[in-house]
Amino acid sequence: MRSTPVSSSPGDRAGAFLTVDLAAIVENWRLLKRQVGPACEMGAVVKADAYGTGVAPVGKALKDAGCTTFFVAHLDEGLTLRAAIGDGPRIVVMHGPNKGTERDFAAFRLVPVLNSPAQIERWRGFAQSNDVLMESLVHIDTGMNRLGLTAREFETLMHDPDGFVGLHPLALMSHLACAEDNTPMNGAQQRKFAAALETFRSKFPDAKGSFTNSSGIFLGPAYHFHFARPGVALYGANPLSGKPNPMIPVVRLKGKIVQVRRVDAAAPVGYGATYTAQDGEKLATVSIGYADGLLRSLSNRGHGYIDDIKVPVAGRVSMDLTIFDVSAVPDSSLGPDATIELIGSRVSVDDIAADAGTISYEILTSLGARYARQYLK
Ligand SMILES: *Cc1c(COP(=O)(O)O)cnc(C)c1O
């Protein structure tokens, strides 16, 4: 059978363009590194496909910039990253080993985070019976009640003479619940972590402490310990609530206008007829919807830009399409190649998150698979 080659480009075919500035990600990593100083190692959290930006290109760019430790959530993410960046860098899998996966952690040199007594016991059994001497991280809970050993479980482990047989802890870690807020809870968690780390280091003098995410880095030196784990700030989101963003924007998103119409009389727009266009209003239908990560909560609330003109979402965001009121835009800017900027110099990831009633994390990790993606080096 004769196969016909596709002659159009991905940019021709796609409904929207996503640009990821890898140089900006590297600059953000360097900025965070300067913020903590040389005593604290700077890792990079690249879980959830590097927060939607693409784990392979992002992993390679950060590796080339000198990042030697990457954090992912799942084993599969670790395997994908290992294939992309090769054997050199350390990859930490934060959810730890699920039952039956221990062998793959060892085979692909993925460092497990041990979150619970059950995970510790299983990993110890595996390491002992297979003579595996591999790094691991021990996670303790200091107030979030999500993952990690409770204070009592940690104490029991520390008093168990066989507790760490066959284990080789690289670091003790914990996670802040409210790092972006100014709240006494941060200090309380910091003190618990510092005390636990001291106990831990009485047994493992070389063990590091890993405590901060992006926002935690800006809480000051007492929070840094030895090993930082920033995620969202690398991708340009603001780690400081209510203050100017120190990070460089990374993501740009533009949707193509598929059709422009002018309504002759007041008329309903979109599913559920939740919006009424006025007589003479000009509407542009754009080829991007909630299946692409333009969240449905942006219905009648979000906005984009054409040149310097703000254009509001009109009606509900549908799966593949979103309608904008472009009455203020001259027809000359609505030609066949016209696009609407949805994330970019005029709408930050944090702005669109605020419009959608969510956080930048959800906007980034919802970025869709149907975009024509471009990576800037
Ligand atoms: C996701 C995650 C991070 C990164 O957090 P950001 O707020 O994105 O910087 C760090 N540590 C743990 C345990 C995480 O789950």
Side-chain angles (χ1 to χ4, degrees), residues 129-196:
S129 49
N130 295 279
D131 255 336
V132 169
L133 189 65
M134 257 182 62
E135 297 177 327
S136 60
L137 274 75
V138 175
H139 190 173
I140 58 164
D141 178 50
T142 51
M144 189 173 183
N145 285 300
R146 188 176 68 167
L147 277 182
L149 304 177
T150 64
R152 180 170 305 172
E153 287 165 346
F154 179 63
E155 206 186 308
T156 306
L157 180 71
M158 292 304 292
H159 285 113
D160 178 353
D162 296 330
F164 289 94
V165 173
L167 300 185
H168 181 53
L170 163 73
L172 187 72
M173 73 175 260
S174 193
H175 195 49
L176 285 159
C178 311
E180 63 281 10
D181 302 325
N182 180 9
T183 149
M185 189 160 169
N186 291 329
Q189 283 195 269
Q190 191 275 351
R191 286 187 293 279
K192 276 189 198 164
F193 185 68

Side-chain angles (χ1 to χ4, degrees), residues 1-325:
M1 225 176 72
R2 196 173 67 94
S3 64
T4 310
V6 176
S7 60
S8 54
S9 72
D12 292 334
R13 296 193 295 276
F17 301 95
L18 181 75
T19 306
V20 176
D21 188 342
L22 295 173
I25 293 178
V26 165
E27 271 317 300
N28 286 335
W29 183 76
R30 293 200 173 117
L31 188 153
L32 296 172
K33 204 169 150 62
R34 284 196 298 277
Q35 186 75 25
V36 298
C40 176
E41 189 175 337
M42 186 52 58
V45 180
V46 295
K47 62 190 179 186
D49 199 27
Y51 290 53
T53 64
V55 71
V58 170
K60 280 186 249 178
L62 285 170
K63 178 193 162 185
D64 290 347
C67 180
T68 54
T69 302
F70 293 86
F71 293 83
V72 295
H74 293 271
L75 171 57
D76 271 326
E77 295 178 334
L79 294 172
T80 303
L81 181 60
R82 180 59 82 213
I85 62 175
D87 285 336
R90 179 189 282 138
I91 298 175
V92 179
V93 177
M94 294 193 288
H95 290 190
N98 293 346
K99 201 154 151 279
T101 63
E102 291 88 352
R103 204 163 292 283
D104 289 328
F105 275 79
F108 294 90
R109 286 205 323 100
L110 302 174
V111 178
V113 171
L114 304 173
N115 293 291
S116 65
Q119 280 190 339
I120 290 176
E121 196 175 318
R122 273 210 313 278
W123 185 255
R124 192 168 54 210
F126 168 75
Q128 277 184 285
S129 49
N130 295 279
D131 255 336
V132 169
L133 189 65
M134 257 182 62
E135 297 177 327
S136 60
L137 274 75
V138 175
H139 190 173
I140 58 164
D141 178 50
T142 51
M144 189 173 183
N145 285 300
R146 188 176 68 167
L147 277 182
L149 304 177
T150 64
R152 180 170 305 172
E153 287 165 346
F154 179 63
E155 206 186 308
T156 306
L157 180 71
M158 292 304 292
H159 285 113
D160 178 353
D162 296 330
F164 289 94
V165 173
L167 300 185
H168 181 53
L170 163 73
L172 187 72
M173 73 175 260
S174 193
H175 195 49
L176 285 159
C178 311
E180 63 281 10
D181 302 325
N182 180 9
T183 149
M185 189 160 169
N186 291 329
Q189 283 195 269
Q190 191 275 351
R191 286 187 293 279
K192 276 189 198 164
F193 185 68
L197 184 60
E198 201 178 310
T199 310
F200 200 66
R201 276 156 75 96
S202 66
K203 205 163 192 158
F204 304 104
D206 296 332
K208 299 169 188 298
S210 180
F211 193 52
T212 56
N213 67 341
S214 299
S215 298
I217 286 170
F218 294 88
L219 291 174
Y223 289 79
H224 295 161
F225 297 94
H226 315 101
F227 221 136
R229 310 185 304 269
V232 81
L234 297 174
Y235 311 102
N238 191 355
L240 307 171
S241 72
K243 292 197 196 141
N245 188 356
M247 313 316 297
I248 304 169
V250 167
V251 169
R252 267 170 271 162
L253 179 62
K254 290 188 301 185
K256 282 185 196 169
I257 296 175
V258 188
Q259 188 176 5
V260 178
R261 72 179 67 242
R262 192 184 280 278
V263 300
D264 296 333
V269 174
Y271 281 126
T274 62
Y275 178 85
T276 305
Q278 300 310 306
D279 183 7
E281 191 167 322
K282 204 159 52 174
L283 300 170
T285 303
V286 177
S287 174
I288 181 170
Y290 59 76
D292 304 295
L294 196 73
L295 302 185
R296 194 165 173 275
S297 54
L298 291 164
S299 299
N300 289 310
R301 287 178 59 178
H303 65 276
Y305 275 87
I306 298 177
D307 302 328
D308 280 328
I309 303 166
K310 187 172 176 173
V311 291
V313 172
R316 284 200 185 140
V317 174
S318 43
M319 186 186 293
D320 318 297
L321 295 165
T322 303
I323 305 162
F324 291 79
D325 173 6

